[in-house]
Amino acid sequence: MGGGGERMRWSKLYSLSCLRPAVAEEEEARRRQSSNLSGGGRLVWCNQPDKHRVKPHKYRSNYVSTTKYTLLTFLPKALFEQFRRVANLYFLFAAALSLTPLAPFAASSLIAPLVFVVGVSMLKEGVEDWRRFMQDEEVNKRKVAVHVGDGVFADKQWKRVRVGEVVKVTQDSFFPADLLLLSSSFPDGICYVETSNLDGETNLKVKRCVERTLELSDKSDFATWSAQVHCEAPNPHLYTFVGNLDLDGSNAREAPSKRSRIERKMDKIIYFLFSVLLLISLLGSIVFGVMTQADMPRWWYLRPSDADVYFNPQRPQLAALLHLITALILYGYLIPISLYVSIEVVKVLQAMFINHDIAMYDDVTDTPAHARTSNLNEELGQVDTILSDKTGTLTCNVMEFRKCSIAGVSYGRGITEVERATAKRLGREQQLHEQDAGSEEHDHRSSSSHGTSPGNFEMAHAAPFVKGFNFTDERVMDGNWLHQPHSSVIRTFFRILAVCHTVIPEESQETGDVSYQAESPDELAFVVAAREFGFQFYKRTQSTVLVREPSDTNGTTTLREYKLLNLLEFNSTRKRMSVIVTDDAGNTFLFSKGADSVMFDKLSKNGRQFEAATRSHLSEYAEAGLRTLILAYRKLDDAEYREWNAVFLKAKTTIGESREELLDAACDMIERDLVLVGATAVEDKLQKGVPECIDRLAQAGLKIWVLTGDKLETAINIGFACSLLRQGMKQILVTLDSGSTEQFGNKEASAKSISQQLANAQRQIDLETDDDAAFALIIDGKALAYALEDGLKDKLLRLAINCASVICCRVSPKQKALVTGLVKEGTGRTTLSIGDGANDVGMIQEADIGVGISGLEGMQAVMASDFSIAQFRFLERLLIVHGHWCYKRIAQMICYFFYKNITFGLTLFYYEAYTSFSGQTAYNDWYMSLFNVFFTSLPVIALGVFEQDVSARVCLMFPTLYQQGPRNLFFSWSRILGWMANGVYSSLVTFVFAAGLYRVAAFRRGGEVAELAILGASMYTCVVWTVNAQVALAISYFTWIQHLVIWGSIGLWYIFLLLYGAVDPRLSTTAYMVLRDGLGPAPVYWLTTALIPLACVLPYFLFTAFQRTFKPMDHHIIQEIRHLQRDFTDPGMWLRERSKAVERTSIGVSARVEARIRHMKKNKGRHHLFSPIRDTTTATTP
């Protein structure tokens, strides 16, 4: 693990202990462990796993599972999933009743469809869960060397590794378990760990073993070695956990069962239809009871004196009750039994289209998009808020040195992703290409290498591309800086880059090349940049730093040693780091780098020579989305240093709660009167297409929140890079700094402080009068811990909703899930969470839709997700194209399904009323059984799979179309009830016209009148024609498939009627020869078939024509323009419509450009668009 030496040492299963820099913190850790052990912590027997076979020390296995079902639970859980659907539950009840004499038709006609529907749905669930199981097995079956006794190590699958076992982990290997480091191949017992599977971070973290286990080097050392570990029980604190690291229990959390909003609303519709069914059944039963009592004695042909219980005039109440049961079964066709299975088929086919969409395929990693569950396809079209991780999701976690300001002169000619996106938005691609012709190829090579760890940069001087360094400027490259004005300042700038850091170099024994191990990619980029400028950081010891740099006299490379006296570490309060060194001439210097918000205040009066120019450059860099740091220095007197060092050492050795404050105060004493040297500008390399994707999502009306474990400054910088923040946007900071009352345990005061900050921020927004003003809420994890409590979370949510952008930094995985839950429950809107690491699993499972990034950062998030994509940029197409299509298809499909079943089912009720509610069905049993299976199923499936109101290209050009989903325009109650009313009208027209035409005249030339079989088959034909003609009118996008299934379904009815009518009459019953001998020769049948469907669909046709003419929807206008080809004949009109087809937003590249244009109009003639670096508002208590 993390080494390249001769020996490879071992690691034991259990948590990687965080480095604790202070004695006080170590004492605190021991106290926490002791208290937690007594209150439910863990005792781990190291190298004695047999003791964990029995309670109370029998812990969970290392088996990873993200499936919903097991072999034992599949049947009961899957049945529960199916029968919690109201319609399936009703048909189960009806199928049971069909076995009794009360059923109006054969039991098989109800039981067979129910078994088919439930079976298909369960099969789909099983197949999807099996795929999850196979992905889990890939992880579980990976092998690791485990100590099996007597110093012998043998390979074992990770899923069989038990708590307490000692495992041997080699360099670049994968370990899906929490480990406690015992020893390492490095002599000082350290190793470097990449945690991309956990939090998406690809930079290496330093882990150090305890001294007592440092000498465990040989296999024989483990033969008799044993120990006990007292540690905390699993908890949600990722960054402050001492002992066991459990990541919110994400590995042990069961996969949640999610249902889309449309499906949940569908239950309400079925409740409504069931109420209608019950109402008409009660009405018919009451009428039947009254008629049985009053009229049955006069119906001599029914032999009332010998009537059975079903028609007994002496017991009309019982007859009415039994008729009610019969009616509930008979009118059950109002509730479509095949709706669920049709939706399942449609969703599976939709998922296949998502999986095979070449536009969402990443050729670099050979990864397509994957719909891991098809149950939530339509939810993709109703998303209101996206909650995104940062590292590995928005960014590649690769820092590149792009520009710098030295002695008031800006260097670096590269173009950033943000500048490129802005120029594209302004239509200046050609100008951009000319300006950046030299760096485009470099950028391409850089982006093609993203995803590999930036923690190891080989010193291959001949390589055409250097990771972390994307800088082009001949004025300072290749030693030309020696000929620049202020060359001494430039030398100091490069020297600070090479010395002021905590990077560890490693020299290869074979090649002599040096590679760097850094705790953050920022530091790595600075060291690599210094090397490329000629200042090569070569070696580090406990007290020295060696740098190869040009000499002060002739420019030849010399090895210079700097004695490292003190390291003043970075923290979020100081926002800077410094080193104090003595050079080989005996001069003592303080080299410092930090945020501009604090560094400018530390400058001396004589050290501000380049301040104005540097501030201007910082503004330009920030506008380009770059992360900036100020570099400064100070020469120290020996006496002053000795006096300060005494204070610093005293603070450093202090044990107690005041230690951090004393250290900060000591650092402030020496970090003053600095001389400004310049500023760095590095690009936190965004994943390809992220700015454009965020811009398009914002134009589609989606809100985007970023939830990250990074520090505040990093989160803000990436917010600017992604255009979630921009110049002129007012930042509201809600935070508890290290000096707050929380540090001293006063939680009540801390909660009051957060409450006051939220109130002040809300008041500021309420009092804002500028319509163009935009606010960004930035809140850290400590503040969030109080803001998410019951008394404050409503205030937090209200404030966040009123802000254009929300960034939560330093949040734990548990807080990510809590924030997601707050947005989901508080707004009642659809939420989507996207992430790539195990720390994102909680929020992915909590959100309505979870999307995992399946790049190079591990598969934890993917295995817990509902959809997976390789890059964040594919989210644009997944939502705006597939989401829009799937929502509209499913919504129209369900509305049409209820329409056709109401059209069909109510004709049964009308016929019942026509026959005095006798319980006689108008149709043959198999007509009814096959209505939803053969004669109307394929057209509705084609509608749900292939329908497109506009093409994918137009969806992306007109992103506001997406808002039809969040606004639920196609599945609102008004639209649902409208389709139901259309069904009622169609059923009424079908029955009244058919019954009327066949009643008043002879049916055929021979004078025969129509019988039940004739009337039933005629009405059924009209219904088949009507519902299929209706779906043809509803479809916007026709292919040969739609034509085949629509007209083929109608033709299939005639073929079935012909073939089924030729079957023995004992089987075909009322259908025997009905088409050949009954309907075919009758002109009135064909006249009825032509007129009734036309009368049924006429109102829908007139309504659609009226709407498209006088009150068109957005897609109607676009369809009309495309149909008339006005996008080619009148490009100006097309562009005007496109400019209107975006939602008003304050984030994204477009909002940044519009803000710039507004600023230019207000400040004509100014060359610098923005003078302030940021407009920041810190909401604090008064």
Side-chain angles (χ1 to χ4, degrees):
M1 175 185 289
E6 298 177 357
R7 296 178 301 169
M8 185 57 63
R9 302 192 179 182
W10 331 113
S11 305
K12 184 213 71 77
L13 179 67
Y14 232 68
S15 63
L16 281 163
S17 178
C18 300
L19 293 178
R20 311 294 286 185
V23 175
E25 291 174 333
E26 293 174 359
E27 292 295 331
E28 178 193 355
R30 282 193 285 270
R31 289 196 301 269
R32 288 177 62 191
Q33 288 178 343
S34 300
S35 62
N36 277 276
L37 180 64
S38 61
R42 284 189 170 185
L43 172 63
V44 178
W45 299 85
C46 303
N47 211 19
Q48 304 172 74
D50 289 341
K51 293 192 176 183
H52 292 290
R53 292 182 182 275
V54 295
K55 294 182 178 182
H57 303 304
K58 185 178 181 180
Y59 304 126
R60 296 180 71 99
S61 69
N62 199 49
Y63 183 82
V64 175
S65 176
T66 61
T67 60
K68 286 174 62 176
Y69 308 107
T70 66
L71 192 62
L72 294 177
T73 64
F74 174 73
L75 188 61
K77 288 184 71 173
L79 286 173
F80 169 76
E81 289 292 331
Q82 295 306 313
F83 287 108
R84 75 173 181 172
R85 293 170 167 173
V86 182
N88 286 350
L89 194 61
Y90 164 75
F91 283 109
L92 178 65
F93 172 72
L97 291 178
S98 69
L99 298 172
T100 69
L102 297 172
F105 34 70
S108 59
S109 62
L110 264 179
I111 296 175
L114 179 64
V115 171
F116 175 77
V117 167
V118 173
V120 169
S121 298
M122 290 176 63
L123 178 64
K124 191 212 78 164
E125 287 281 311
V127 169
E128 290 181 347
D129 213 54
W130 174 260
R131 291 171 181 165
R132 296 190 191 98
F133 171 75
M134 296 306 295
Q135 282 189 321
D136 294 340
E137 283 297 283
E138 290 181 14
V139 177
N140 289 321
K141 289 185 177 180
R142 291 176 179 172
K143 293 184 177 180
V144 65
V146 178
H147 182 237
V148 294
D150 298 326
V152 177
F153 282 77
D155 286 343
K156 180 186 285 190
Q157 292 179 347
W158 272 111
K159 67 180 179 180
R160 303 194 185 281
V161 173
R162 289 177 292 163
V163 171
E165 288 185 319
V166 175
V167 299
K168 173 184 176 181
V169 180
T170 58
Q171 183 172 348
D172 296 328
S173 63
F174 175 87
F175 49 95
D178 300 331
L179 303 178
L180 172 66
L181 181 64
L182 295 180
S183 62
S184 167
S185 58
F186 288 112
D188 50 358
I190 64 173
C191 70
Y192 300 92
V193 179
E194 181 183 296
T195 59
S196 60
N197 270 332
L198 304 180
D199 54 14
E201 293 280 359
T202 54
N203 52 290
L204 301 179
K205 279 80 172 176
V206 179
K207 303 297 176 183
R208 191 184 309 274
C209 68
V210 296
E211 295 182 6
R212 294 283 299 274
T213 63
L214 180 61
E215 297 305 319
L216 293 173
S217 57
D218 298 325
K219 294 180 180 180
S220 58
D221 294 338
F222 292 93
T224 58
W225 180 84
S226 64
Q228 298 178 24
V229 174
H230 298 262
C231 60
E232 292 180 329
N235 66 45
H237 305 296
L238 178 59
Y239 299 103
T240 60
F241 191 72
V242 179
N244 184 17
L245 182 64
D246 187 68
L247 285 177
D248 291 330
S250 58
N251 290 340
R253 179 174 177 175
E254 293 186 0
S257 177
K258 298 181 179 180
R259 300 181 73 201
S260 69
R261 276 172 165 71
I262 284 184
E263 187 173 340
R264 293 197 294 269
K265 190 171 185 177
M266 202 160 62
D267 285 347
K268 297 179 182 178
I269 299 172
I270 291 175
Y271 282 129
F272 172 76
L273 288 179
F274 183 76
S275 300
V276 173
L277 185 154
L278 186 61
L279 179 64
I280 61 177
S281 298
L282 281 171
L283 177 63
S285 298
I286 292 172
V287 172
F288 177 75
V290 171
M291 295 181 67
T292 299
Q293 184 178 25
D295 299 333
M296 176 65 74
R298 294 186 286 108
W299 295 341
W300 56 267
Y301 50 87
L302 294 179
R303 294 187 298 174
S305 60
D306 191 27
D308 56 20
V309 68
Y310 304 106
F311 302 96
N312 192 339
Q314 305 300 322
R315 304 178 67 185
Q317 295 85 357
L318 180 59
L321 179 61
L322 296 176
H323 181 273
L324 174 63
I325 298 174
T326 301
L328 289 174
I329 300 174
L330 180 61
Y331 304 150
Y333 285 90
L334 286 173
I335 301 174
I337 187 174
S338 62
L339 173 61
Y340 287 115
V341 71
S342 298
I343 290 177
E344 300 285 3
V345 171
V346 165
K347 288 183 176 182
V348 168
L349 294 174
Q350 289 176 348
M352 291 176 58
F353 286 143
I354 292 174
N355 297 344
H356 291 85
D357 189 345
I358 194 66
M360 294 195 294
Y361 169 74
D362 184 41
D363 54 355
V364 176
T365 59
D366 189 28
T367 306
H370 184 206
R372 290 173 49 80
T373 176
S374 57
N375 292 339
L376 304 173
N377 293 351
E378 67 273 24
E379 285 283 89
L380 292 173
Q382 293 187 280
V383 176
D384 178 77
T385 304
I386 298 173
L387 300 103
S388 173
D389 177 42
K390 182 193 78 69
T391 306
T393 303
L394 299 177
T395 70
C396 303
N397 202 36
V398 174
M399 303 296 178
E400 291 186 340
F401 192 94
R402 297 302 301 261
K403 300 182 181 183
C404 60
S405 173
I406 311 175
V409 180
S410 180
Y411 297 98
R413 307 188 190 280
I415 299 298
T416 67
E417 294 290 340
V418 173
E419 289 176 311
R420 184 171 287 109
T422 302
K424 185 177 181 181
R425 176 70 175 80
L426 291 171
R428 298 176 181 173
E429 292 94 336
Q430 183 62 32
Q431 178 183 346
L432 175 71
H433 177 74
E434 295 172 358
Q435 182 179 355
D436 193 34
S439 63
E440 184 174 352
E441 183 180 355
H442 185 95
D443 283 342
H444 175 72
R445 292 195 303 269
S446 172
S447 62
S448 67
S449 64
H450 289 162
T452 55
S453 172
N456 191 317
F457 285 75
E458 298 295 335
M459 300 288 291
H461 299 287
F465 165 69
V466 179
K467 290 182 180 179
F469 188 75
N470 194 353
F471 182 93
T472 303
D473 197 320
E474 66 283 355
R475 292 175 294 173
V476 291
M477 297 297 295
D478 301 322
N480 293 334
W481 61 268
L482 290 167
H483 310 296
Q484 289 288 308
H486 303 293
S487 60
S488 61
V489 180
I490 297 176
R491 179 186 296 277
T492 302
F493 182 91
F494 294 154
R495 188 171 286 167
I496 294 174
L497 290 181
V499 175
C500 185
H501 55 76
T502 58
V503 176
I504 299 174
E506 295 179 2
E507 184 176 8
S508 172
Q509 297 178 359
E510 291 80 11
T511 64
D513 292 337
V514 177
S515 61
Y516 298 130
Q517 304 286 357
E519 292 192 40
S520 72
D522 310 63
E523 297 236 297
L524 195 54
F526 294 145
V527 174
V528 171
R531 182 195 68 196
E532 296 302 310
F533 289 128
F535 289 71
Q536 183 189 27
F537 169 51
Y538 173 68
K539 189 176 182 181
R540 176 191 293 275
T541 67
Q542 291 288 346
S543 59
T544 60
V545 172
L546 278 70
V547 178
R548 289 172 176 162
E549 61 178 68
S551 67
D552 298 339
T553 54
N554 55 16
T556 59
T557 301
T558 60
L559 184 63
R560 175 163 292 184
E561 179 181 281
Y562 295 89
K563 184 177 181 182
L564 183 61
L565 302 178
N566 301 95
L567 173 65
L568 312 184
E569 295 181 354
F570 177 92
N571 64 43
S572 58
T573 304
R574 296 178 59 246
K575 300 181 182 179
R576 60 191 182 276
M577 78 157 289
S578 303
V579 294
I580 300 177
V581 297
T582 300
D583 62 13
D584 48 12
N587 298 314
T588 302
F589 292 94
L590 180 141
F591 293 152
S592 185
K593 62 184 180 186
D596 56 88
S597 58
V598 296
M599 291 296 288
F600 282 125
D601 295 336
K602 300 294 182 180
L603 300 179
S604 66
K605 291 183 179 180
N606 297 327
R608 299 177 178 269
Q609 179 181 355
F610 312 116
E611 181 180 0
T614 304
R615 284 184 180 272
S616 176
H617 296 154
L618 288 174
S619 178
E620 295 173 5
Y621 298 159
E623 183 63 23
L626 298 175
R627 301 170 59 165
T628 58
L629 285 179
I630 297 294
L631 271 60
Y633 77 99
R634 179 188 178 197
K635 187 174 182 180
L636 302 175
D637 296 331
D638 291 342
E640 180 186 11
Y641 170 72
R642 287 194 297 270
E643 181 182 351
W644 172 84
N645 193 43
V647 176
F648 181 73
L649 290 176
K650 182 178 180 181
K652 195 173 182 180
T653 56
T654 299
I655 298 177
E657 295 178 341
S658 62
R659 180 177 182 272
E660 293 298 325
E661 288 187 358
L662 293 174
L663 277 174
D664 289 348
C667 293
D668 285 338
M669 289 175 59
I670 200 70
E671 292 173 327
R672 58 182 176 82
D673 297 331
L674 303 179
V675 177
L676 176 64
V677 177
T680 62
V682 298
E683 182 178 12
D684 189 353
K685 200 68 179 177
L686 298 176
Q687 289 192 10
K688 182 180 177 182
V690 165
E692 293 88 346
C693 177
I694 289 178
D695 187 49
R696 193 68 57 84
L697 293 172
Q699 290 180 342
L702 291 162
K703 306 175 184 66
I704 302 174
W705 293 27
V706 174
L707 312 179
T708 177
D710 284 341
K711 59 188 179 183
L712 180 68
E713 294 76 17
T714 304
I716 292 176
N717 286 330
I718 205 61
F720 276 94
C722 296
S723 296
L724 292 172
L725 303 177
R726 57 175 170 80
Q727 300 289 1
M729 182 178 282
K730 300 179 180 179
Q731 297 178 17
I732 299 173
L733 304 181
V734 179
T735 180
L736 284 175
D737 57 35
S738 61
S740 71
T741 50
E742 185 205 30
Q743 185 173 349
F744 302 98
N746 193 339
K747 294 184 178 180
E748 183 178 347
S750 296
K752 184 177 181 181
S753 172
I754 296 301
S755 177
Q756 190 63 51
Q757 291 184 51
L758 295 176
N760 290 344
Q762 186 62 55
R763 190 179 306 112
Q764 179 185 354
I765 294 176
D766 294 340
L767 295 176
E768 181 60 55
T769 57
D770 185 0
D771 293 337
D772 295 323
F775 293 86
L777 172 63
I778 303 167
I779 183 169
D780 66 11
K782 289 184 179 180
L784 205 56
Y786 294 97
L788 288 173
E789 293 179 353
D790 289 339
L792 295 178
K793 63 182 182 182
D794 292 337
K795 288 184 179 180
L796 172 65
L797 182 62
R798 182 189 173 203
L799 174 63
I801 290 174
N802 289 328
C803 291
S805 182
V806 179
I807 298 177
C808 303
C809 57
R810 278 302 186 197
V811 293
S812 68
K814 183 67 172 179
Q815 287 177 322
K816 288 185 177 184
L818 290 174
V819 170
T820 303
L822 175 64
V823 178
K824 181 176 71 172
E825 302 297 335
T827 64
R829 302 292 185 89
T830 303
T831 57
L832 180 147
S833 289
I834 179 169
D836 70 316
N839 65 332
D840 303 317
V841 168
M843 73 172 185
I844 284 175
Q845 293 184 332
E846 179 65 32
D848 294 298
I849 307 170
V851 178
I853 301 291
S854 57
L856 301 175
E857 316 296 347
M859 297 294 291
Q860 294 283 358
V862 169
M863 291 191 294
S865 66
D866 305 305
F867 299 87
S868 67
I869 52 179
Q871 296 281 326
F872 182 87
R873 59 191 168 97
F874 296 137
L875 188 64
E876 171 188 345
R877 186 174 180 89
L878 182 65
L879 296 184
I880 297 179
V881 177
H882 289 284
H884 173 71
W885 283 347
C886 290
Y887 161 74
K888 197 165 183 179
R889 289 165 176 171
I890 293 295
Q892 287 184 298
M893 173 186 174
I894 294 173
C895 288
Y896 170 76
F897 229 111
F898 286 122
Y899 155 80
K900 73 182 182 69
N901 275 71
I902 288 174
T903 300
F904 177 65
L906 285 183
T907 56
L908 294 169
F909 173 71
Y910 301 147
Y911 183 77
E912 270 281 277
Y914 185 69
T915 59
S916 303
F917 296 99
S918 62
Q920 175 64 49
T921 61
Y923 307 121
N924 183 282
D925 288 357
W926 284 105
Y927 294 178
M928 293 188 290
S929 296
L930 299 179
F931 177 77
N932 285 315
V933 177
F934 287 112
F935 308 133
T936 62
S937 60
L938 293 181
V940 75
I941 289 175
L943 172 68
V945 175
F946 300 107
E947 170 66 354
Q948 292 182 17
D949 54 347
V950 293
S951 66
R953 173 174 165 269
V954 174
C955 280
L956 296 173
M957 294 173 66
F958 294 82
T960 192
L961 286 175
Y962 182 81
Q963 280 300 306
Q964 292 179 341
R967 293 171 185 166
N968 206 19
L969 297 184
F970 287 89
F971 206 62
S972 62
W973 279 109
S974 60
R975 197 171 190 88
I976 294 167
L977 293 175
W979 274 97
M980 289 183 177
N982 190 19
V984 173
Y985 166 79
S986 298
S987 65
L988 197 60
V989 168
T990 299
F991 178 78
V992 170
F993 275 76
L997 286 172
Y998 287 117
R999 180 181 182 181
V1000 297
F1003 173 63
R1004 288 201 297 268
R1005 187 174 303 171
E1008 297 93 338
V1009 294
E1011 58 176 332
L1012 171 62
I1014 298 297
L1015 177 61
S1018 297
M1019 284 198 303
Y1020 197 93
T1021 302
C1022 293
V1023 169
V1024 170
W1025 267 98
T1026 297
V1027 297
N1028 282 287
Q1030 178 66 67
V1031 77
L1033 287 176
I1035 289 177
S1036 302
Y1037 178 73
F1038 272 97
T1039 66
W1040 65 269
I1041 298 176
Q1042 279 96 328
H1043 285 292
L1044 176 65
V1045 298
I1046 291 173
W1047 313 123
S1049 295
I1050 297 174
L1052 185 63
W1053 157 244
Y1054 288 109
I1055 294 173
F1056 167 80
L1057 198 58
L1058 189 65
L1059 296 178
Y1060 183 53
V1063 176
D1064 189 293
R1066 288 173 296 180
L1067 298 176
S1068 58
T1069 61
T1070 58
Y1072 182 70
M1073 295 299 178
V1074 71
L1075 178 61
R1076 194 190 72 175
D1077 296 341
L1079 299 175
V1084 67
Y1085 168 71
W1086 300 107
L1087 180 65
T1088 301
T1089 304
L1091 293 179
I1092 291 180
L1094 181 63
C1096 289
V1097 300
L1098 184 62
Y1100 179 86
F1101 175 81
L1102 294 176
F1103 170 79
T1104 303
F1106 174 84
Q1107 184 184 42
R1108 285 179 172 270
T1109 304
F1110 299 103
K1111 293 185 177 182
M1113 301 179 72
D1114 292 338
H1115 66 284
H1116 291 154
I1117 298 174
I1118 298 170
Q1119 288 172 351
E1120 189 75 14
I1121 294 174
R1122 297 278 290 174
H1123 177 71
L1124 299 175
Q1125 297 186 339
R1126 297 292 292 274
D1127 50 330
F1128 296 107
T1129 60
D1130 191 354
M1133 175 185 179
W1134 182 250
L1135 290 176
R1136 286 194 303 273
E1137 291 299 326
R1138 284 190 60 187
S1139 65
K1140 293 187 293 184
V1142 295
E1143 293 293 314
R1144 178 180 174 86
T1145 179
S1146 298
I1147 63 172
V1149 176
S1150 298
R1152 184 190 290 254
V1153 171
E1154 291 171 2
R1156 178 182 292 187
I1157 293 172
R1158 287 196 301 269
H1159 188 86
M1160 292 174 65
K1161 289 179 179 179
K1162 294 179 181 177
N1163 302 276
K1164 289 183 179 179
R1166 295 187 181 181
H1167 296 289
H1168 299 290
L1169 296 179
F1170 299 100
S1171 54
I1173 295 176
R1174 297 189 185 101
D1175 183 2
T1176 304
T1177 301
T1178 303
T1180 57
T1181 46

